[in-house]
Amino acid sequence: QVQLVESGGGLVQPGGSLRLSCVGSGGAFSSYTMGWFRQAPGKTREFVAAIYPSGGSTYYADSVKGRFTISRDNAKNTVWLQMNSLKPEDTAVYYCNSKDGLGYPWGQGTQVTVSS
């Protein structure tokens, strides 16, 4: 079954950290530029970060640059998002997929809530 499963979300105070995981089943995970995306209530899904297939290059939305780090392990079909210095505006459901959004069906995502 071709699918993505995101995990690692939760409730965290401003300034805190979380590490999200995304495991892919089937598909061509290792050949994709993989990305993390997020969707806040009432807003459209937006790009957060991406990593090239080899893991050698990454890029980020300006809003998270310097705070978030994306990484991957192709042997485990896994991509991570380390989120530090979290802000209330980072509150959203976080999803992973190929950068063009077409590699896999969208998963359920994982909820991240940043609140005191």
Side-chain angles (χ1 to χ4, degrees):
Q1 185 176 3
V2 178
Q3 65 176 2
L4 294 166
V5 179
E6 301 95 344
S7 63
L11 173 63
V12 63
Q13 293 187 342
S17 298
L18 283 173
R19 190 189 195 205
L20 307 183
S21 299
C22 169
V23 180
S25 300
F29 185 94
S30 62
S31 69
Y32 293 140
T33 294
M34 291 299 294
W36 281 97
F37 306 82
R38 66 187 181 186
Q39 187 167 16
K43 296 187 176 181
T44 57
R45 186 176 291 154
E46 65 176 3
F47 167 77
V48 174
I51 184 166
Y52 278 60
S54 67
S57 294
T58 58
Y59 52 107
Y60 300 89
D62 287 344
S63 58
V64 306
K65 202 171 295 183
R67 300 188 297 122
F68 290 11
T69 303
I70 188 171
S71 59
R72 69 189 295 165
D73 183 339
N74 289 334
K76 298 180 179 179
N77 276 12
T78 301
V79 60
W80 296 277
L81 186 69
Q82 177 67 43
M83 306 187 297
N84 298 328
S85 302
L86 282 161
K87 304 176 181 180
E89 51 264 42
D90 295 318
T91 295
V93 179
Y94 284 70
Y95 303 87
C96 68
N97 208 329
S98 60
K99 176 60 173 67
D100 61 6
L102 301 176
Y104 289 86
W106 288 96
Q108 299 275 31
T110 185
Q111 175 71 48
V112 172
T113 303
V114 185
S115 175
S116 55

